[in-house]
Amino acid sequence: MNVRPLENDDRDGLRAFFARISESDRTFFKDDVLDPAVVAGWLHDQRGRRLVAVDDGEGGDGAIIGYAAVLPGFGWSSHVGELRLVVDPERRRAGVGKQLARQGLVTAIEMGLAKVVVDVIADHEGTIGLFSTLGFQAEALLRDHVRDRDGEVHDLIIMGHLIEDTWSAMATAGLEDYTLGWRILPPATRRRPSDGPTAEMAVGAPMRSAIDRRLCHARRIRPAQRSPEEKESIMFEHTRAFSGFSVDGIPKAKKFYSETLGLRVSEEHGMLTLHIAGDRDTLVYPKKDHTPASFTILNFPVDDIDAAVDELAAHGVRFERYDWVDEKGIMRDRGPAIAWFKDPAGNILSVLQED
């Protein structure tokens, strides 16, 4: 599979791709993607960047199996880009969405954007989990904001990724191997569309340096652009924030997270700290009137979800039996394969297979 910029020769292939996408998925594109004039307009758009995933590996037929767009905002939001992404229904849970999302992030860096946002339907927890592993965080919940083709309304979550402030998180998610997004294109060089058919750009250390220079430049000039009042009001700009959640008892929480899940934990002042890989410490604190979280508080990526579910079940973990999961408690038909379970306090956790 190759992920590359959209090219003029992709018109027919892209229309065929969107024809395979369900009406409900096409709802989230603000344009009529089946209109040839819309695709033609994309090819002449100088502001946004559009990418396609092409099945050209062994046994592949060269068909487009995924599409992503990074669209910068206007005016006071010109530093923010919106990421739109869709994958062929037959190729979901095969790593295509993750590759496109990663490519979208590094494309945003190439465009000089400081932030990327993505809209996700609130009940698409697999998709939320995917973007969370890439450093996105939920920033807003819009109630009954989306109406589908059947007239049903859904909540919409806006997730954001602050590129400058979370560069280390991008490295943790694997983006250090996708310098400017051109690394995943074989061979080791790729034509830059704007430079014409013969120009090539090499990948590797020079591209990493370009990213580093862009980020350093952004960090240097941004403070100078703020007014004194703005400088004084930004109390937490350089604070290393952390998240936390409550439980109804520290001893049983400590036993579960350390012994059942195998996390490194520490206890101090009657509270726990979960030392999660990637230097993401999470605070666990007791609360007398604790109410279990009704949303997923922690997602644990795994290489083999079936093996993970079997191992956790052997340790006494019971997986939630929602309508949309199979007999093992795994959702396999929307986004990454994911299975939900609860800690002793009733908080919802999940394991998900990214690829």
Side-chain angles (χ1 to χ4, degrees):
M1 178 187 71
N2 284 343
V3 176
R4 59 168 174 75
L6 179 67
E7 298 174 351
N8 191 62
D9 291 341
D10 293 323
R11 295 185 187 218
D12 293 339
L14 191 61
R15 286 198 295 270
F17 164 74
F18 279 121
R20 298 193 299 272
I21 303 300
S22 67
E23 275 196 71
S24 59
D25 285 342
R26 293 202 302 266
T27 299
F28 303 108
F29 287 84
K30 299 176 175 64
D31 303 313
D32 181 2
V33 294
L34 297 181
D35 184 350
V38 169
V39 176
W42 289 351
L43 291 166
H44 293 90
D45 180 13
Q46 299 298 313
R47 298 188 74 252
R49 302 282 181 87
R50 291 171 170 84
L51 311 166
V52 290
V54 180
D55 183 12
D56 62 354
E58 184 177 353
D61 58 1
I64 293 176
I65 56 176
Y67 166 86
V70 181
L71 308 175
F74 295 89
W76 58 20
S77 295
S78 58
H79 64 293
V80 179
E82 179 187 357
L83 175 61
R84 301 178 187 174
L85 187 152
V86 65
V87 175
D88 190 314
E90 298 297 323
R91 300 302 296 270
R92 292 172 185 174
R93 296 180 290 106
V96 178
K98 185 176 181 180
Q99 295 281 42
L100 279 168
R102 281 176 164 174
Q103 182 78 3
L105 279 178
V106 289
T107 298
I109 295 173
E110 189 179 21
M111 296 168 67
L113 298 173
K115 180 179 181 180
V116 179
V117 297
V118 61
D119 295 347
V120 183
I121 298 299
D123 56 2
H124 290 184
E125 294 207 30
T127 304
I128 294 171
L130 167 64
F131 283 109
S132 295
T133 64
L134 295 176
F136 283 81
Q137 295 183 348
E139 296 188 342
L141 173 65
L142 306 181
R143 297 287 186 184
D144 295 341
H145 195 74
V146 175
R147 187 185 301 275
D148 62 26
R149 300 285 183 177
D150 297 325
E152 297 292 329
V153 293
H154 304 269
D155 296 345
L156 183 72
I157 292 178
I158 299 176
M159 304 184 72
H161 191 300
L162 292 170
I163 292 175
E164 297 173 28
D165 296 338
T166 55
W167 177 247
S168 61
M170 292 168 66
T172 300
L175 287 172
E176 75 280 9
D177 293 330
Y178 292 82
T179 50
L180 289 186
W182 295 92
R183 181 185 183 282
I184 63 176
L185 298 176
T189 56
R190 176 70 189 176
R191 296 197 308 270
R192 188 198 301 268
S194 60
D195 290 344
T198 59
E200 292 182 340
M201 58 183 295
V203 300
M207 296 299 98
R208 186 186 304 279
S209 298
I211 295 176
D212 293 340
R213 286 197 303 270
R214 185 182 296 277
L215 292 175
C216 290
H217 176 68
R219 291 190 181 102
R220 285 199 304 270
I221 65 173
R222 182 164 292 228
Q225 293 176 335
R226 296 188 179 121
S227 67
E229 293 78 9
E230 289 177 319
K231 289 181 180 179
E232 292 176 0
S233 66
I234 304 175
M235 298 173 58
F236 307 119
E237 181 178 9
H238 302 291
T239 299
R240 187 175 177 178
F242 59 91
S243 62
F245 58 89
S246 69
V247 295
D248 56 2
I250 290 297
K252 58 182 180 181
K254 183 176 182 179
K255 179 179 177 66
F256 175 79
Y257 283 100
S258 62
E259 298 181 14
T260 303
L261 299 190
L263 297 178
R264 184 168 62 90
V265 305
S266 59
E267 184 174 359
E268 187 177 10
H269 305 305
M271 297 181 289
L272 294 180
T273 298
L274 308 181
H275 302 285
I276 299 175
D279 197 23
R280 300 178 182 179
D281 290 351
T282 301
L283 180 68
V284 181
Y285 57 92
K287 194 168 183 285
K288 291 183 179 180
D289 56 347
H290 164 75
T291 300
S294 59
F295 52 88
T296 307
I297 61 170
L298 286 174
N299 297 284
F300 295 98
V302 295
D303 294 328
D304 185 337
I305 192 167
D306 288 277
V309 167
D310 291 342
E311 183 175 352
L312 287 171
H315 283 80
V317 173
R318 296 181 59 185
F319 286 86
E320 298 301 296
R321 301 297 176 178
Y322 301 120
D323 293 340
W324 54 86
V325 301
D326 63 14
E327 65 278 0
K328 294 184 69 172
I330 302 174
M331 182 188 75
R332 303 179 188 270
D333 59 350
R334 289 189 295 179
I338 184 169
W340 293 269
F341 59 99
K342 293 180 179 178
D343 70 3
N347 297 310
I348 300 176
L349 315 172
S350 84
V351 288
L352 63 92
Q353 183 173 319
E354 298 179 5
D355 293 325

